[in-house]
């Protein structure tokens, strides 16, 4: 009943999506997002590689899970904050690179949810337990 899907394909996908999501320059001046976007995503990739390499430690899975949750939230903020619109007048190839980079950043954000699910499964396989949350609601 353990996790039969390894984490390495997800981490490999995050490497590719992080690079393509950061590479385009908007308006020819600079990247469309700040360098903190790249640092955040490559830190998640580094934690993922560390989790894959240290098979016996469940603490690495916890750090990967927390970084994926924070990364998902910050990806939404970065994408919403630095989106300038698709004003393609007179930019030619630069606009298509921006659209490609922007779409890859969105796909990277969505893939973090799938990676999070499999990281939780890996955590359970390594002996971690997820606390059950029981909520009691009293009306009266």
């Amino acid at each position: 009943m353990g996790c039969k899907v390894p984490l390495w394909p997800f981490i490999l996908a995050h490497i590719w999506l992080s690079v393509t999501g950061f590479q385009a320059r908007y308006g020819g001046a600079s990247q469309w997002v700040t360098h903190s976007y790249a640092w955040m995503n490559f830190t998640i990739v580094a934690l993922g590689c560390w989790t894959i390499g240290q098979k016996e430690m469940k603490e690495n899975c916890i750090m990967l899970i927390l970084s994926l949750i924070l990364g998902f939230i910050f990806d939404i903020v970065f994408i919403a904050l630095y989106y300038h619109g698709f004003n393609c007048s007179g930019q030619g190839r630069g606009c298509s690179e921006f659209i490609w980079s922007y779409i890859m950043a969105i796909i990277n954000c969505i893939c973090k949810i799938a990676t999070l699910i499999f990281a939780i499964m890996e955590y359970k396989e390594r002996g971690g337990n997820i606390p059950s949350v029981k909520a009691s609601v009293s009306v009266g």
Side-chain angles (χ1 to χ4, degrees):
M1 186 156 169
C3 177
K4 302 295 183 207
V5 179
L7 279 176
W8 69 265
F10 295 98
I11 301 303
L12 192 63
H14 282 295
I15 292 171
W16 183 69
L17 290 168
S18 296
V19 168
T20 56
F22 181 69
Q23 72 181 0
R25 297 184 181 278
Y26 183 73
S30 63
Q31 276 82 15
W32 69 280
V33 293
T34 60
H35 289 281
S36 56
Y37 173 82
W39 277 103
M40 176 195 63
N41 280 303
F42 291 130
T43 301
I44 291 172
V45 166
L47 283 171
C49 292
W50 189 23
T51 301
I52 292 168
Q54 300 287 328
K55 291 280 186 193
E56 65 279 350
M57 295 181 65
K58 62 184 177 185
E59 291 81 12
N60 296 342
C61 285
I62 293 172
M63 289 190 295
L64 179 62
I65 290 167
L66 291 175
S67 69
L68 284 166
I69 292 169
L70 287 174
F72 178 74
I73 293 168
F74 284 128
D75 269 355
I76 292 171
V77 170
F78 280 126
I79 289 169
L81 190 63
Y82 294 107
Y83 173 67
H84 299 292
F86 295 126
N87 184 7
C88 293
S89 59
Q91 289 191 9
R93 182 174 176 222
C95 184
S96 62
E97 286 178 358
F98 167 69
I99 293 170
W100 172 259
S101 183
Y102 182 73
I103 291 171
M104 290 301 113
I106 292 172
I107 292 172
N108 189 19
C109 183
I110 294 169
C111 283
K112 282 186 178 140
I113 300 298
T115 308
L116 177 64
I117 292 168
F118 286 104
I120 291 171
M121 290 171 60
E122 181 77 22
Y123 174 69
K124 288 165 118 180
E125 184 179 289
R126 292 183 184 190
N129 57 355
I130 307 236
S132 61
V133 178
K134 296 180 182 177
S136 62
V137 178
S138 61
V139 179

